[in-house]
Amino acid sequence: MAANTIELNRRRHNFEGVESIWLFGYGSLIYKVDFPFLEQRPASIDGWVRRFWQGSHDHRGTPEAPGRVVTLIRKSGAVCKGMAYRVSPAVFEHLDHREKNGYLRLSVRLTFDDGSQSDGLVYIATEDNEAFLGAAADVDIARQIARAVGPSGPNSEYLFRLADSLRRLGDHCSHTFAIESCLQSIGKNDI
Ligand code: BEZ
């Protein structure tokens, strides 16, 4: 699948007659809210884990030295915590462009913290996209993040902001926190 997913996403959902939709954020959408929303609620989705397995050459890295950003990977029994936003369909024009590097909109069932549920959408970079990097040791992911800088800033800033946001949400994402701790102990000479 091509890395640029703008056109693919435009054809995926018919928003005709739809006033608002829940959008689930598990990465930068938790802390970089550059879109209007009608309502915001902490939520989770079942059967997915957050992983720094997607390459970023347009935001947190470059084509020559891609950074690493999060996507979701299916895992039975797992729960991924994040933030849900009720948005108007127009918001997806902006987000499809912002998250064009391999992310497709998928339908998911959201569970809010009070146990109530709703259908929603989530952006996921699947393994068949050109920018997908896949698994690596925590320390190697941290080294790659320590080196990478892109138009949106240092990749390390992305990691640290996400880790802080997850702590505020009360999520213990062991994958994110392990990479954060490797990154904190990496000296300039180690990268
Ligand atoms: C998110 O925070 O949900 C998100 C992360 C990466 C790309 C698109 C969305």
Side-chain angles (χ1 to χ4, degrees):
M1 187 182 73
N4 188 325
T5 44
I6 294 177
E7 263 314 310
L8 290 173
N9 275 323
R10 209 170 269 155
R11 288 187 246 125
R12 279 177 86 80
H13 298 103
N14 180 2
F15 293 130
E16 229 177 86
V18 175
E19 248 178 55
S20 67
I21 308 150
W22 282 102
L23 164 69
F24 180 75
Y26 59 93
S28 61
L29 290 183
I30 301 177
Y31 65 82
K32 187 178 175 194
V33 190
D34 60 353
F35 52 90
F37 59 86
L38 304 158
E39 208 180 329
Q40 175 184 38
R41 295 176 72 179
S44 58
I45 57 175
D46 291 342
W48 295 93
V49 284
R50 182 186 292 104
R51 290 289 179 263
F52 277 79
W53 288 4
Q54 174 68 1
S56 174
H57 52 251
D58 61 343
H59 279 298
R60 298 292 181 166
T62 61
E64 297 73 34
R68 274 188 180 254
V69 290
V70 289
T71 184
L72 293 179
I73 303 294
R74 280 187 201 277
K75 187 175 177 190
S76 165
V79 177
C80 178
K81 203 164 164 46
M83 186 61 79
Y85 305 90
R86 192 162 63 82
V87 298
S88 91
V91 163
F92 291 102
E93 280 164 42
H94 164 64
L95 290 178
D96 286 356
H97 190 269
R98 173 177 143 180
E99 307 300 352
K100 63 183 181 302
N101 193 23
Y103 290 88
L104 290 178
R105 284 191 242 123
L106 267 73
S107 301
V108 278
R109 190 81 180 146
L110 312 187
T111 304
F112 300 110
D113 281 6
D114 65 0
S116 62
Q117 293 193 320
S118 181
D119 291 326
L121 296 178
V122 62
Y123 284 93
I124 295 180
T126 51
E127 297 180 19
D128 57 352
N129 86 87
E130 283 175 0
F132 190 80
L133 295 175
D138 293 341
V139 67
D140 292 330
I141 294 180
R143 282 204 190 101
Q144 184 173 352
I145 289 175
R147 283 191 297 261
V149 182
S152 299
N155 203 174
S156 54
E157 177 193 58
Y158 171 100
L159 180 289
F160 289 133
R161 288 188 74 181
L162 178 58
D164 281 344
S165 309
L166 296 178
R167 268 187 286 275
R168 273 196 293 275
L169 272 177
D171 183 27
H172 186 83
C173 178
S174 52
H175 173 75
T176 302
F177 295 161
I179 296 166
E180 179 190 40
S181 131
C182 290
L183 199 50
Q184 280 161 339
S185 58
I186 285 177
K188 286 253 184 288
N189 296 332
D190 301 329
I191 60 172

